[in-house]
Amino acid sequence: MEFDVIGVEDWLNVHERDATWDIAQSTIASLTPDELRELDGRDGAELIERLAREPQSYGWIEGSPAFKAEVQTLYEHEIDPRRILQTNGCTGANLNALLAVVRPGDHVIAEWPTYAPLYEIPRALGADVEHWTVRRELGWLPDIDELERLVRRDTRLICINNAANPTGAVMDADMLGRIAQIAASVGAYVLCDEVYLPLDEQVGYRSMADIYDRAIVTDSVSKTYSVPGARIGWVIADDEVSGAIRTLRDYTMISGGVANDALATYVLAHRDAVLARNRALVLSNRATVQSWIDGQPRVSWVAPRGVSTSYIELDIPVDDETFCLRLLEEYGVLLVPGSRFGLPCGARLGYCARPDVLREGLRRLGEALADFDR
């Protein structure tokens, strides 16, 4: 197997530590220890007490019963705990799920462009991967009629990212239902990476786990729940796929670790407080960016629908990577070039940074763009 470099990860690995004003990330401003302690109203005693009584062994290999119980509450339908498997973030969830399902020669349809592993891992595994292309005129969503044309009797898997990285586009419940119907017509699985939960309550969002019985759903506490440092995610699938993932986990991770499990469980148990904090930040920061864009002749976007990642289009006379490098070197501001996602000239804007960082980053970005008109 040969894996291509993931463009966005390669860019961040090289450049993120050089930034003074990082407005490239897709996590909603990561929680600090002080903020974590505030969640239980007892200065974090709930988490501290649990860690104090837990030996630092491998812990629960598939994730603790408490962790699985919290994950169960995220979905409308009751999910057998054996079908919930803890992973090393959503990255590990996607890797294990794809390894479990995809075989050489399989026909795989993947939303494109979006998070690269959803199409690059099947390709590396020897699948025949066809792209289901997102379209600017559809708000960065793909055309459902095109999916009907792409699907074949031998289609094994359809991969989607809902909500999507980097555009923040959201497929609503009706569109997910259509995807499920198309997949069911040929008996295909649908892998849905759901790490970005829309926090705009007007969006009509549902998990694919509640729509399709052959859904494989991946998620984590890294983005919506603001604790990427916990490195805890999960995958939900039917008994056959879960069984295969169970075996693969022994090769890829064994367990998530006692401390990480405890932290993720604590955050999910107090998710109402986390989501209230994050919803306010998402909506306020989105308004800040919209106001800024309204005064920028060289910038446009399809506003993200309560999702922590967004894509801005740039009307500039140089390629986006050249511009983003200059922006970092001369202004200390980090964006991810759209070319790192296979998108036209633009950039991923991590607008859910802390408000002071966002405002200063946008101010400096505006200065860099104004240089083209001097």
Side-chain angles (χ1 to χ4, degrees):
M1 292 186 292
E2 293 186 6
F3 290 90
D4 285 345
V5 168
I6 301 173
V8 57
E9 303 300 344
D10 179 60
W11 177 268
L12 292 174
N13 290 344
V14 172
H15 297 298
E16 65 183 345
R17 293 299 179 184
D18 297 330
T20 304
W21 308 99
D22 186 347
I23 52 174
Q25 308 297 334
S26 58
T27 292
I28 301 174
S30 297
L31 290 162
T32 66
D34 285 346
E35 288 173 312
L36 286 166
R37 286 200 303 269
E38 291 173 3
L39 293 179
D40 67 352
R42 298 168 53 211
D43 197 30
E46 181 182 319
L47 177 61
I48 294 167
E49 289 165 4
R50 177 171 178 177
L51 287 172
R53 67 176 179 265
E54 292 280 358
Q56 293 302 299
S57 63
Y58 283 102
W60 293 88
I61 300 303
E62 296 182 3
S64 68
F67 170 79
K68 291 191 175 192
E70 292 300 336
V71 171
Q72 282 179 302
T73 65
L74 302 177
Y75 303 92
E76 299 169 17
H77 298 147
E78 185 173 350
I79 296 171
D80 185 337
R82 282 186 54 80
R83 293 174 51 211
I84 302 170
L85 297 172
Q86 193 176 88
T87 60
N88 179 22
C90 198
T91 299
N94 287 323
L95 174 64
N96 281 284
L98 291 165
L99 287 171
V101 173
V102 178
R103 304 161 301 198
D106 279 346
H107 182 238
V108 174
I109 299 169
E111 180 185 355
W112 182 90
T114 183
Y115 183 53
L118 297 178
Y119 38 90
E120 288 298 339
I121 293 174
R123 181 200 57 77
L125 292 171
D128 172 15
V129 179
E130 288 196 77
H131 291 161
W132 184 27
T133 305
V134 303
R135 302 186 183 281
R136 172 63 165 80
E137 65 271 20
L138 297 178
W140 294 119
L141 291 171
D143 183 348
I144 193 69
D145 293 331
E146 183 182 357
L147 180 62
E148 289 188 306
R149 294 191 293 270
L150 288 172
V151 76
R152 306 187 325 211
R153 282 181 293 180
D154 64 340
T155 299
R156 172 74 168 167
L157 176 67
I158 299 169
C159 294
I160 59 176
N161 186 197
N162 195 41
N165 179 19
T167 63
V170 181
M171 298 179 187
D172 64 17
D174 289 341
M175 187 169 186
L176 294 177
R178 289 281 306 278
I179 294 170
Q181 290 174 349
I182 293 167
S185 71
V186 295
Y189 285 102
V190 175
L191 190 158
C192 188
D193 178 330
E194 297 181 350
V195 76
Y196 299 101
L197 176 69
L199 296 183
D200 187 331
E201 295 174 340
Q202 306 301 313
V203 171
Y205 173 86
R206 289 184 74 197
S207 169
M208 185 58 89
D210 292 313
I211 292 174
Y212 186 41
D213 60 1
R214 288 173 71 81
I216 304 166
V217 166
T218 60
D219 204 341
S220 82
V221 296
S222 296
K223 306 296 184 180
T224 303
Y225 301 100
S226 300
V227 282
R231 301 311 308 130
I232 293 292
W234 60 91
V235 57
I236 298 172
D238 65 18
D239 290 338
E240 180 181 353
V241 174
S242 292
I245 294 172
R246 188 169 281 109
T247 298
L248 287 164
R249 288 179 73 266
D250 291 339
Y251 286 88
T252 58
M253 67 172 290
I254 300 181
S255 73
V258 170
N260 290 344
D261 180 287
L263 176 55
T265 303
Y266 173 79
V267 167
L268 290 176
H270 297 284
R271 67 181 177 277
D272 288 348
V274 175
L275 293 179
R277 174 251 196 195
N278 286 356
R279 184 174 290 110
L281 192 149
V282 164
L283 298 180
S284 175
N285 280 15
R286 184 175 65 182
T288 295
V289 176
Q290 186 63 67
S291 177
W292 178 82
I293 287 176
D294 289 344
Q296 293 292 327
R298 292 185 176 272
V299 185
S300 60
W301 74 345
V302 176
R305 303 185 68 192
V307 181
S308 62
T309 182
S310 68
Y311 182 71
I312 55 173
E313 296 169 273
L314 300 173
D315 179 12
I316 53 178
V318 298
D319 67 87
D320 53 18
E321 189 148 331
T322 297
F323 174 71
C324 287
L325 281 172
R326 183 169 69 83
L327 180 68
L328 179 61
E329 292 167 359
E330 297 181 13
Y331 292 89
V333 176
L334 183 67
L335 295 174
V336 179
S339 56
R340 291 292 175 131
F341 292 93
L343 284 166
C345 189
R348 184 174 79 178
L349 172 66
Y351 75 101
C352 288
R354 294 188 178 274
D356 58 327
V357 173
L358 175 66
R359 287 191 294 268
E360 182 61 16
L362 290 176
R363 188 188 70 78
R364 289 166 176 259
L365 173 56
E367 287 187 1
L369 291 167
D371 287 344
F372 292 116
D373 299 309
R374 291 191 174 98

